Amino acid sequence: MQLTAPATRRTTTTPRRDADGMAVASFILGLLGLLVLNIFLGPIAIALAAAALWRGTARRGRALLGLTLGVADLVVLAVAMELSNTVSWSL
């Protein structure tokens, strides 16, 4: 008679699910960063996309878009700062 359920290993699906979530989060943060807080959201999107790609996400395209949008956030910030001659930018 066994009182407890046998231990199952679910570690094979969890890292991939985490990586997929990171890919989606990097895309959303990169997209949102084009509008607001790009100095913070851009680097976060880049880091999440890199981590998702390193972990082998199934959503590789979404991670690459998040990486591209994160870089675009920083480029938009640099251009806006150069045009306005300030350390930040506003609409």
Side-chain angles (χ1 to χ4, degrees), residues 14-25 52 56-60 62:
T14 304
R16 174 152 282 181
R17 186 183 306 167
D18 290 344
D20 291 347
M22 282 190 249
V24 172
T57 182
R59 299 178 182 214
R60 184 170 171 79
R62 187 91 25 106

Side-chain angles (χ1 to χ4, degrees), residues 42-65:
I44 292 171
I46 292 170
L48 284 173
L53 289 170
W54 183 71
R55 289 186 179 193
T57 182
R59 299 178 182 214
R60 184 170 171 79
R62 187 91 25 106
L64 290 173
L65 272 173

Side-chain angles (χ1 to χ4, degrees), residues 3-87:
L3 296 177
T4 60
T8 58
R9 299 193 81 180
R10 297 182 66 184
T11 58
T12 58
T13 60
T14 304
R16 174 152 282 181
R17 186 183 306 167
D18 290 344
D20 291 347
M22 282 190 249
V24 172
S26 71
F27 172 71
I28 291 171
L29 290 177
L31 196 60
L32 185 61
L34 288 173
L35 301 174
V36 294
L37 296 173
N38 47 5
I39 195 165
F40 298 112
L41 297 180
I44 292 171
I46 292 170
L48 284 173
L53 289 170
W54 183 71
R55 289 186 179 193
T57 182
R59 299 178 182 214
R60 184 170 171 79
R62 187 91 25 106
L64 290 173
L65 272 173
L67 183 66
T68 304
L69 287 170
V71 170
D73 291 346
L74 298 179
V75 169
V76 165
L77 177 66
V79 169
M81 285 174 25
E82 186 64 32
L83 291 175
S84 65
N85 293 325
T86 62
V87 186

